[in-house]
């Protein structure tokens, strides 16, 4: 019986789902899967891209952990593709590779002043509060008024973390440096800007409801944003999700702005709809000083057009949350415009000729762009796996497909890789750090410390 030796680069949901789907798929060959990740710990976006106060994270991680703990997938963490391991190495030891490397960079926003001091990509801030080991440990939260540009779930996550009181985050696994950074926060007002109306937002009802549950934070919405056109009313009437979002926003219009003590809250979170950011104004030192936006209006078809009316709100920091963007991989075709690996249903294509690259596949955000929720990666992986199974005739013919080859190669190159047992050690260590402070977990941020704990050194 033929055996498929498969490498998957990326140990987040996309890579783990792909491995699980292949192992469970109907096929006429045996399968051996090695999962590689540049980070010492698995789970990718779930560990390092989702806000720590989302309860649903635990359910997703539990499902991913169950897949890995079966023991039929090997993990090699702390291995950088393009540095520690190359495409030629994979061809020598595997029949095929699936890239599931996601998208962690911020998409660009081309408006004047966006590169001002105090203007940041939301992805960088998310990586900071999620304790990503390759990002700075410090984050300046010295602004009282902050702008968040975007109307998706990431924008709401960023706004919520900025507005939330740090003591309400201690039930989560935020690292010690993040706790200290948030304790020093000067933020009092968070302004979220979206160019379209309330019936066209990209966030989900769950994300929106969470804003309304923040302690000592007033939710501020503006009556002028709720003069709906026929297209908006039709969207509310025909789409249950839009209907729920409208219901939540309408309830906030009626809500008195008081905290539990009966007075005004110490922080405010403002939602500005029909507000298209057009400029970040700066002060004499080049720091962000204000956000200028153009008031838009419905175009009658679910979109918006500009009105020419410009408004300005003083802010000292700006976070753009207008989407994520993929990163190129050594030796792999890359579409610089869309930030993805060019592909047909997961089969990687040469950039110029659109011909298939034998043995190379993609899944997840690096395949289709950063759209959809984590659950969408399952159907995405199924499509890729179907082609992988059917492409048996074009698999690579590896020179040395033995199980021992990769550990020997990494050892020879001095790579301190981590494995599944190492993740269990790190997992137990983080839980222990949390227990000492009566918390569920405290993340380890330093990469070297993660590796030492994982390797039992």
């Amino acid at each position: 019986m033929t055996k498929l030796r498969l490498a998957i680069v990326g140990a987040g949901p996309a890579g783990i789902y792909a491995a699980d789907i292949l192992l469970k798929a109907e096929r006429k060959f045996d399968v051996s899967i090695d999962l590689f990740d540049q980070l010492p710990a698995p789970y990718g976006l779930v560990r390092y891209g989702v806000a720590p106060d989302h309860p649903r994270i635990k359910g997703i991680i539990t499902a991913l952990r169950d897949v890995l703990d079966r023991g039929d997938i090997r993990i090699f963490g702390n291995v950088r593709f393009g540095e520690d391991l190359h495409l030629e190495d994979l061809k020598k030891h595997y029949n095929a590779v699936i890239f599931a490397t996601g998208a962690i960079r911020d998409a660009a926003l081309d408006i004047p002043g966006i590169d001002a001091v105090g203007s940041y990509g939301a992805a960088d801030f998310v990586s900071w509060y999620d304790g990503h080991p390759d990002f700075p440990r410090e984050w300046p939260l010295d602004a009282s008024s902050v702008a968040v540009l975007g109307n998706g779930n990431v924008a709401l996550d960023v706004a919520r973390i900025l507005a939330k009181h740090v003591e309400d985050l201690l039930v989560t696994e935020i690292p010690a440096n993040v706790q200290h950074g948030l304790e020093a926060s000067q933020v009092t007002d968070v302004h979220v800007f979206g160019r379209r109306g309330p019936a066209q937002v990209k966030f989900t009802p769950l994300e929106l409801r969470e804003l309304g549950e923040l302690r000592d934070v007033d939710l501020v919405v503006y009556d002028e944003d709720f003069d709906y056109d026929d297209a908006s009313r039709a969207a509310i009437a025909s789409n249950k999700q839009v209907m729920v979002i409208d219901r939540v926003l309408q309830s906030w219009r009626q809500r008195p702005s008081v905290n539990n003590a009966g007075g005004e809250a110490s922080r405010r979170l403002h939602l500005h709809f029909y507000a298209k950011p057009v400029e970040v104004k700066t002060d004499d030192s080049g720091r962000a000083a204000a956000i200028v936006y153009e008031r838009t209006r419905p175009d009658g078809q679910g979109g918006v057009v500009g009105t020419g009316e410009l408004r300005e709100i003083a802010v000292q920091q700006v976070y753009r949350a207008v989407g994520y963007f993929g990163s190129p991989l050594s030796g792999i075709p890359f579409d610089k415009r869309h930030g993805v690996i060019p592909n047909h249903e997961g089969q990687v294509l040469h950039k110029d000729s659109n011909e298939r690259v034998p043995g190379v596949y993609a899944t997840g955000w690096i395949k289709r762009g950063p759209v959809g929720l984590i659950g969408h990666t399952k159907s995405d992986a199924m499509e890729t796996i179907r082609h992988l199974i059917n492409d048996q005739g074009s698999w690579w013919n590896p020179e040395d497909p033995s199980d021992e080859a990769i550990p020997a190669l990494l050892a020879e190159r001095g790579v301190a890789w981590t494995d599944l047992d190492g993740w269990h050690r790190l997992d137990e260590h983080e839980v222990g750090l949390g227990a000492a402070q009566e918390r569920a977990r405290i993340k380890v941020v330093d990469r070297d410390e993660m590796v030492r704990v994982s390797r039992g050194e």
Side-chain angles (χ1 to χ4, degrees):
M1 181 184 286
T2 304
K3 183 173 184 177
L4 169 63
R5 284 272 294 146
L6 176 67
I8 298 178
V9 179
I16 295 174
Y17 285 149
D20 187 42
I21 288 167
L22 176 59
L23 288 166
K24 293 176 178 176
E26 186 175 332
R27 47 189 162 74
K28 297 180 179 178
F29 49 81
D30 288 335
V31 173
S32 171
I33 300 176
D34 287 347
L35 199 59
F36 297 91
D37 202 280
Q38 65 173 344
L39 295 168
Y43 307 143
L45 180 68
V46 183
R47 183 174 164 95
Y48 291 116
V50 182
D53 56 348
H54 278 322
R56 71 174 185 270
I57 300 176
K58 293 183 178 132
I60 296 169
I61 283 187
T62 297
L64 297 176
R65 178 183 286 128
D66 288 345
V67 173
L68 296 182
D69 284 353
R70 286 201 313 255
D72 50 7
I73 303 167
R74 290 199 304 182
I75 299 179
F76 294 88
N78 200 42
V79 177
R80 293 177 171 89
F81 179 81
E83 296 181 31
D84 304 319
L85 196 67
H86 304 275
L87 184 61
E88 290 307 312
D89 299 321
L90 299 181
K91 288 182 176 180
K92 184 176 180 180
H93 301 295
Y94 297 92
N95 299 103
V97 59
I98 298 175
F99 288 98
T101 50
I104 63 168
R105 289 190 296 159
D106 283 286
L109 179 63
D110 187 17
I111 62 173
I114 196 64
D115 295 325
V117 178
S119 178
Y120 306 99
D124 290 346
F125 183 57
V126 172
S127 293
W128 173 74
Y129 67 59
D130 273 334
H132 194 297
D134 298 335
F135 285 77
R137 304 288 186 272
E138 308 295 324
W139 194 275
L141 291 170
D142 51 358
S144 60
S145 185
V146 176
V148 179
L149 314 183
N151 257 177
N153 283 342
V154 174
L156 291 198
D157 279 352
V158 168
R160 192 180 65 257
I161 296 297
L162 286 167
K164 199 167 188 173
H165 293 276
V166 68
E167 50 266 34
D168 297 329
L169 283 166
L170 295 184
V171 295
T172 75
E173 57 189 43
I174 60 166
N177 65 298
V178 175
Q179 176 185 343
H180 300 326
L182 292 172
E183 284 171 345
S185 173
Q186 302 298 305
V187 173
T188 59
D189 288 83
V190 179
H191 297 268
V192 182
F193 297 89
R195 62 185 180 87
R196 298 200 289 181
Q200 290 82 39
V201 294
K202 296 296 185 183
F203 44 72
T204 56
L206 175 63
E207 297 276 349
L208 188 64
R209 282 199 193 99
E210 287 175 341
L211 292 186
E213 297 167 358
L214 298 180
R215 179 183 61 83
D216 190 31
V217 178
D218 282 343
L219 267 297
V220 183
V221 292
Y222 298 88
D223 287 340
E224 64 178 343
D225 292 338
F226 294 89
D227 184 14
Y228 290 146
D229 66 342
D230 289 342
S232 294
R233 283 191 286 270
I236 293 167
S238 62
N239 186 304
K240 186 176 181 181
Q241 179 165 299
V242 178
M243 185 188 303
V244 173
I245 286 173
D246 177 64
R247 190 178 300 150
V248 171
L249 290 170
Q250 296 289 354
S251 72
W252 291 349
R253 294 178 70 187
Q254 312 302 322
R255 198 161 86 171
S257 297
V258 296
N259 64 9
N260 295 335
E264 292 186 358
S266 64
R267 295 179 180 178
R268 288 155 297 281
L269 204 163
H270 309 252
L271 298 181
H272 302 272
F273 300 103
Y274 297 115
K276 177 186 176 182
V278 295
E279 182 184 0
V280 177
K281 283 193 172 180
T282 58
D283 61 17
D284 293 340
S285 64
R287 294 191 62 87
I291 185 77
V292 179
Y293 67 94
E294 180 184 13
R295 181 75 181 167
T296 63
R297 62 174 175 80
D299 64 2
Q301 300 176 15
V304 294
V305 293
T307 66
E309 178 189 352
L310 298 180
R311 300 181 182 180
E312 182 176 316
I313 293 178
V315 297
Q316 300 85 47
Q317 282 189 342
V318 176
Y319 295 82
R320 71 180 189 278
V322 295
Y324 286 92
F325 205 76
S327 300
L329 296 156
S330 175
I332 306 302
F334 187 71
D335 182 340
K336 293 181 180 178
R337 181 180 176 189
H338 299 101
V340 298
I341 295 174
N343 69 92
H344 170 70
E345 297 182 347
Q347 296 170 308
V348 172
L349 305 175
H350 287 287
K351 185 179 176 185
D352 299 323
S353 66
N354 276 339
E355 294 180 1
R356 279 189 48 212
V357 180
V360 184
Y361 300 83
T363 192
W365 280 5
I366 198 65
K367 166 188 173 183
R368 59 186 162 86
V371 292
L373 303 176
I374 290 173
H376 289 106
T377 55
K378 282 189 178 179
S379 56
D380 197 42
M382 290 177 73
E383 181 180 70
T384 297
I385 293 301
R386 185 178 72 250
H387 282 297
L388 172 64
I389 291 172
N390 293 333
D391 291 345
Q392 186 170 346
S394 61
W395 292 349
W396 300 328
N397 294 308
E399 176 185 325
D400 180 7
S402 66
D403 287 343
E404 301 79 21
I406 289 298
L409 177 67
L410 295 176
E412 180 184 326
R413 292 178 179 173
V415 180
W417 79 90
T418 60
D419 57 16
L420 184 58
D421 288 340
W423 161 239
H424 289 156
R425 280 190 284 269
L426 179 60
D427 185 36
E428 292 170 4
H429 179 73
E430 291 183 341
V431 170
L433 292 176
Q437 297 186 32
E438 297 184 342
R439 294 172 55 189
R441 172 194 301 270
I442 297 177
K443 269 186 192 170
V444 174
V445 180
D446 183 74
R447 179 185 283 267
D448 291 341
E449 184 181 352
M450 292 175 73
V451 172
R452 283 197 303 271
V453 172
S454 298
R455 292 172 64 89
E457 297 172 351

